[in-house]
Amino acid sequence: MSAPDSARSLHFETTCVHTGVDKDPGFLSAITPIYPTSTFRWDDLIHNRGFDYTRSGNPTRRALEENIAALEGGIDCRATCTGMSAITSVMYLFAPGDHIIAPADIYGGTFRLFHNILEPMGYKFSFVDMIDAENVKRAVTPATKGIWIETPSNPLLRVTDIQAIVEIAKGCGATTIADNTFLSPYLQRPLDLGVDVVMHSTTKYLNGHSDVVGGAIITKHKPHAERVGYVVNALGTACSPFDAWLVLRGIKTLGPRMEAHQRGAQAVAEFLAQHPKVEKVYYPGLSDHPQHALAKRQQKGFGAMLSFDVKGTRADAERFLTGTKLAQLAESLGGVESLISYPETMSHASMTAEARRKAGISERTIRVSIGIEHPDDLIADFKQALER
Ligand SMILES: *Cc1c(COP(=O)(O)O)cnc(C)c1O
């Protein structure tokens, strides 16, 4: 049921290509087949072949789950239909009355779920600035049952010290959950740093081609694995066999894609940092980023998300955002094509203007998801958009 142990001795890139693949005993197809069936025949009243109904389990989805569990170093994984359904499902590790500490600059959709849906149901949340772990320590109460980690943060790429947060959680018996969407397991493995549960929006780097929405929950303790498996079946949040197949297909190139992504991000960040029309660049790979050393220590690379403030006014930001020819103005991230977005009216529109300013997001802040295009072409595109 869990990731095969043999996968552990393979290199990451090899695991991406091979784990969970041999799911066709009938014809030995080289690639995992899609099993688009809602139900499975039983041999008799007692025996089936391991699957009975696709909400509960499906061979294609199971292949993806084995693959992602191995990539994150967990004992089990459940693949869900969106990142948000992964978060919804994993929150059933807690109950009303429980207190959960979460980052103040958490992903907007997660904030909406926690604040607008779960808080009225009796869950308690403290949203704190996790850059200083002392803030987390101060927020702990006798009811604290969970600590949510998301690093680097969106959109300003602030880096949280995962091990420092894990220490605090151990001290108060809280379960740690890390949203690892921004880096993927190729660049950061929170379970190795002591985190209990990892979740992903597979919509982003794991699938990597902007053609599916999906999520995943990876566990490393048996009680968590059993509870999450039970909840995903009970809630009906599992993903379709076709979506599972697409994500499994995308993951095969995760390693080479991440290398190409961050090669471009580093080049673009360095170009922007020296451009006279740019005020400030937020990218952990720049040596003047406040958590550059921490990022270097806990990540295998700096990823491909970056933000920057243009000089001037909102109009200057708008001129850039509507002036690129390669980079597309769109939400989301993690695909092979570069996307630019405007947190003010897009990803962070659900925050009040005051909350955005407090978080450091201005009317001149632009977020970029660097794709795998050649860096020189991206730089030329950004240059003409800045200077037009
Ligand atoms: C996109 C995203 C989510 C939500 O995932 P969906 O697939 O859109 O439901 C959660 N966390 C982070 C960090 C994300 O970028």
Side-chain angles (χ1 to χ4, degrees), residues 82-84 87 107 110 150 179 181-182 201 203-204 213-214 333:
T82 57
M84 288 317 303
I87 298 174
Y107 174 74
T110 316
E150 187 187 316
D179 182 337
T181 300
F182 262 39
S201 167
T203 310
K204 317 294 167 55
V213 288
L333 58 113

Side-chain angles (χ1 to χ4, degrees), residues 21-33:
V21 168
D22 50 344
K23 290 286 170 193
D24 177 19
F27 298 102
L28 306 183
S29 62
I31 292 300
T32 314

Side-chain angles (χ1 to χ4, degrees), residues 34-105:
I34 311 174
Y35 289 87
T37 181
S38 57
T39 191
F40 299 83
R41 251 162 46 209
W42 290 57
D43 290 309
D44 54 44
L45 300 190
I46 309 295
H47 302 99
N48 59 48
R49 308 283 172 95
F51 296 97
D52 58 4
Y53 186 61
T54 279
R55 168 160 47 71
S56 319
N58 177 282
T60 313
R61 191 193 309 130
R62 202 60 197 144
L64 172 66
E65 291 168 341
E66 287 175 11
N67 183 288
I68 298 178
L71 298 186
E72 285 286 2
I75 62 162
D76 199 9
C77 168
R78 294 291 154 159
T80 61
C81 55
T82 57
M84 288 317 303
S85 66
I87 298 174
T88 301
S89 304
V90 85
M91 288 308 284
Y92 280 76
L93 292 175
F94 308 111
D98 287 355
H99 175 242
I100 294 116
I101 303 170
D105 48 4

